[in-house]
Amino acid sequence: ASAVLESELVPSLVDLVSVQWEAGNDAQVALCVCAFANLADVGCSRHLVDTGAFELCVNLLQAEDASVQLYAAAAIQNVLSDDVVAGDSGVAEFAYGQRLTGVLAALAQSPETFVAEMAAGGLSNLASSPAMRSLSAAVIVQAAFRGKLVRRAAERRRKGGGGMEAVAEEE
């Protein structure tokens, strides 16, 4: 793993995937993304996140080619199995912003068995990551508080008082 970290291998592969993706060379994209999955499995997960390879894999889940989807999902599953990455709030926020849970859940229903299995594994790792659980809890608390504010504003309006502005000033 240290040789990979010290080399330009991953940034070069990220560039190659981008070029080959635009050229429509799915087989070459799949081969490179397969390398990402294997590199994550041997201790390079953090490096894949830091170099943009993880983000690229998330985007490649939208590919039409099943091989590209398979290896992108496998890379995501392997990256998210790393404890350091699983505890990274930045990775959780990125995953949340990209609606990764929904994308993986949809792929877990794929008729392509191996794609479905890798997506389900990625989904499981994402759901069990400490950072994602913390972010989900924060979102639930925020939603509950917003609901409370809306209910208070509606009650104030019924009584002839101000709406959300008045409630927000109280808080």
Side-chain angles (χ1 to χ4, degrees), residues 7-154:
S7 74
E8 289 297 313
L9 175 64
V10 174
S12 296
L13 285 173
V14 168
D15 292 342
L16 182 60
V17 168
S18 298
V19 169
Q20 294 305 317
W21 179 250
E22 288 180 23
N25 294 327
D26 293 336
Q28 292 176 354
V29 170
L31 184 61
C32 292
V33 178
C34 178
F36 293 152
N38 289 318
L39 289 168
D41 201 36
V42 296
C44 296
S45 293
R46 179 81 250 168
H47 188 59
L48 293 173
V49 170
D50 293 342
T51 58
F54 178 74
E55 180 178 347
L56 182 59
C57 289
V58 169
N59 292 330
L60 290 173
L61 291 174
Q62 304 296 330
E64 292 181 23
D65 184 81
S67 295
V68 173
Q69 290 178 333
L70 168 67
Y71 293 119
I76 290 166
Q77 176 184 2
N78 290 350
V79 167
L80 293 174
S81 71
D82 182 287
D83 290 340
V84 172
V85 174
D88 185 329
S89 62
V91 172
E93 289 171 10
F94 171 76
Y96 183 80
Q98 296 295 310
R99 295 176 165 46
L100 185 54
T101 300
V103 173
L104 289 171
L107 277 178
Q109 302 302 314
S110 172
E112 299 289 337
T113 304
F114 295 123
V115 171
E117 288 175 5
M118 291 298 119
L123 185 60
S124 175
N125 289 346
L126 183 61
S128 65
S129 83
M132 195 63 173
R133 287 196 316 259
S134 294
L135 180 60
S136 296
V139 168
I140 290 168
V141 169
Q142 288 173 344
F145 186 71
R146 283 191 304 269
K148 179 180 175 184
L149 290 177
V150 169
R151 287 188 297 279
R152 276 192 186 168

